[in-house]
Amino acid sequence: MAESLSLGSALPDRAEVVVVGGGIVGCAIAYHLTRRGITDVVVLEQGTLTCGTTWHAAGLVSQLKSTHSLTKLATYSARLFEELEDETGQATGYRTPGSISVADNEQRWEEILRGATMAEGVGVETQVMELDEVRELWPLMHTDDLIGALYIPRDGQTSPVDTTMALAKGAKTRGAKVFEGVSVTDLKVSNGRISGVVTERGEVATETVVLATGMWTRHLAAQIGVNVPLQACEHFYIVTEPIEGMDIGTPTLRDPGNYTYFKEETGKIMAGFFEPRGKVWRTGPIPRDFSFGTLDEDWEHLGPIFERAIHRVPALAECGLQLFFNGPEAFTPDGVYYLGEAPEVDGCFVAAGFNSVGIQSAGGVGWALADWIADRQPPMDLNSVDIRRAQPFQAETDFLRSRVSESLGLLYAMHWPFRQYESARGKRLSPLHERIAAAGAVFGETAGWERPNWYASEGQTGEYEYSYGKQNWHNNMLAECLGVRETVGLFDQTSFAKFMVEGDDALAVLNHLSVADIDVPLGKAVYTQWCNQRGGIEADLTVNRLSEDRFFVVTAAAAETRDWAWLRRGCRGKRVTISNVTHDQAMIGLMGPKSRALLSELTNTDLSNRAFEFGSGRGIDLAGAEVFALRMSYVGDLGWELYVDNDSAVGVYDALVEQGKDFGLVHAGYHAMNSLRLEAGMRHWGHDITDEDTPLEAGLGFTIAWNKTADFIGRSALETQRSQPRTKRLIQLRIEDPDLLTYHDEPLYRDAVVVGRISSSMWSATQNRCCAMGYVEHEAGVTSGWLANGRWETNIAGRRIPVSTSIRSWFDPTNQRPKQ
């Protein structure tokens, strides 16, 4: 094979793409770029290929992940590694002994089974095993306390070093150049776009850089203002001497209840650990020469976990240890890696923070990022890994030290629905925080915001008690939902992101970004999507016209960084000023049939339909404060969003609560909001709508202004789709079981054939069932007749459950209540 270029070789003056980092991820990206025909690729590695983390990885290639999209990427890796040696002639060491995951309690077993049902929709084969079958495959395992085991026969193992070399060889064969011993010391930016890299041996001009530099990424990216919040933690594994009974080809064993995985390695056992609280290592810059560095043994930290590993595999207590390994790896605050184009600098792509799953992720990441670079948009929904989810405060040292220690431990912890982080809380607070806390709010966190998820009753402990069934706040949520539907509810929605767009070109920019027509009368609010060139939904938001050239944009809290980046790029070269005013004002949602009557007691403004129609906004005097009142609803009922300066927020809140006593006002949280919006058919970006779903597929075709004169991004693709049968469609679902809950990614069956999956779900107070949404596909078109003529089911932890389907929402299907 062609050798890597080193100290004696001159760097090129420029390249189409520069990949910084020569681990398995960087080499996979280079490999896939060349497969896409982008062959002018330079890979720069400060040490030698595989140094950093790749060289000491365990080499596990598991397919089943926490979400549909992550599983799809992992299964791609497995298929690629199966074929790579035949393509390149470079041995990879890939084999498929399979894997077994075990559960020692009912809750863990349900978690495993729910994951297996999700896998069915992605085509991952799984098998529930009897314990005597488990003992045959793993005779060294203690099984007396187990209640279930899941076998994934095509899960694999590979040699991280050899696989990286095969990827590098494949890339170089098609023209990529790989330089070892070349450190990137700086990145160059011009007019908001990457323009080159600076190395010890000169500069390379480029318009596309990929930072695949593992635990070095945060500090390198920060030099140009790119935020990559990750932190190195110590990661431990041991390798035993050869053990009798540990046969070559034994499946990988995962025992999450005891925080350990066990891998057969030439007749030995490698045992790796994800302890409940990780050990953070070195928050400052990492030296270049640590490329093959290791850390000291720490039996005091690992001892209790090793004892639990011995419980599962007693032979560990008697055998000799050949190696105690401790090496740092990069972990992220939410336990999911970063991928994609940085929101701060165009052309700067990131692939880092792999949370000890870099080997099994590398193939899918290489494919996805190469397509993203080539097409300037991702090939599938990658929202869960998108770098644009990162928040600035997450790069703070104290936050990372606390949160990443927790997130490492959560990799093998129970992945409860609605689980809340315990560490590094209180980063972003509403001005109403103390008031709603006093009202009983139990807080969750979204994008750093402390938000009221539910309200505890008097005398009730305001803490979560997790389960896969109805949790301890279920009845609280039902009461909040019924309060909104029957009287009036108050929501603290301050966390919603808010942008001002002003200037001579403001209208033109927003009309180009939006599928709806933004050229509306002053005071009008427009619900719209921002789409990509293929018609996929990049953002779902509201644009409010305040004056001829001044607009107020409101979007979801979790989409703040992403939507800001999309807006910023849309304004490039235009006479527009944009500002993020999210922290400048509170937002109170007042929703329900009595909201008009309550507000009318506190303002002289006429709130009637004639004077204040749905979808309009204006400044009003409310309880002596100046408030921007927007008649809009995300819960499917009459209501107003009230935007008020922080200094006046508490006064307005107090007046609403005091006056609300006469109208039966209830405080309502985000669990209730999710339930209300689901039964009313309101979509949630990131679940029900993503950048691979079009407004037409999502049932949002009514937002598209086909006749507006302004062109808009995605118009051509949408016009083509408009004339075709709707082969993919978001539908409404109701789970016909009085007790069972679905969450997301469960498969949907029509006449016993998988035709789609659930995108989001929540219990409904009005339906007394779980309501859900999900995409289904049918080549001849998804119609009401096709839905009605089929037998519909979903799968909840291995149980087939009947499902009702509908094109329209279950509550108020004609959407009249918000307009009453």
Side-chain angles (χ1 to χ4, degrees), residues 34-115:
T34 61
R35 278 181 49 163
R36 278 299 308 266
I38 301 175
T39 59
D40 184 15
V41 177
V42 168
V43 178
L44 301 176
E45 168 53 55
Q46 65 181 357
T48 59
L49 295 185
T50 78
C51 75
T53 300
T54 298
W55 70 275
H56 64 70
L60 302 180
V61 185
S62 62
Q63 302 169 88
L64 183 55
K65 301 300 173 190
S66 59
T67 67
H68 181 272
S69 59
L70 290 176
T71 301
K72 189 174 179 180
L73 292 177
T75 55
Y76 176 92
S77 291
R79 303 295 81 80
L80 173 68
F81 295 165
E82 285 180 342
E83 304 165 356
L84 195 57
E85 183 172 339
D86 288 342
E87 177 198 339
T88 64
Q90 165 72 44
T92 63
Y94 186 74
R95 54 197 178 99
T96 53
S99 73
I100 300 171
S101 295
V102 298
D104 59 6
N105 61 70
E106 293 290 345
Q107 295 88 352
R108 179 70 72 175
W109 185 227
E110 176 153 4
E111 177 189 44
I112 290 173
L113 288 175
R114 283 180 178 259

Side-chain angles (χ1 to χ4, degrees), residues 297-318:
E297 296 183 5
D298 189 344
W299 280 108
E300 181 178 354
H301 177 75
L302 193 63
I305 309 304
F306 186 64
E307 290 180 8
R308 299 185 69 147
I310 292 173
H311 167 76
R312 184 60 60 219
V313 181
L316 290 177
E318 307 297 331

Side-chain angles (χ1 to χ4, degrees), residues 125-170:
E125 179 188 358
T126 65
Q127 301 173 16
V128 174
M129 301 183 71
E130 299 295 333
L131 292 182
D132 56 353
E133 296 177 292
V134 173
R135 283 187 285 269
E136 288 183 16
L137 286 177
W138 246 95
L140 296 178
M141 180 181 9
H142 173 69
T143 60
D144 290 353
D145 61 338
L146 297 180
I147 64 168
L150 186 77
Y151 179 48
I152 305 179
R154 292 193 69 187
D155 270 4
Q157 299 175 9
T158 199
S159 163
V161 171
D162 291 340
T163 305
T164 303
M165 294 304 180
L167 290 165
K169 182 177 180 181

Side-chain angles (χ1 to χ4, degrees), residues 405-418:
S405 175
E406 179 183 6
S407 67
L408 184 156
L410 293 178
L411 293 176
Y412 270 21
M414 284 292 300
H415 297 90
W416 295 116
F418 310 107

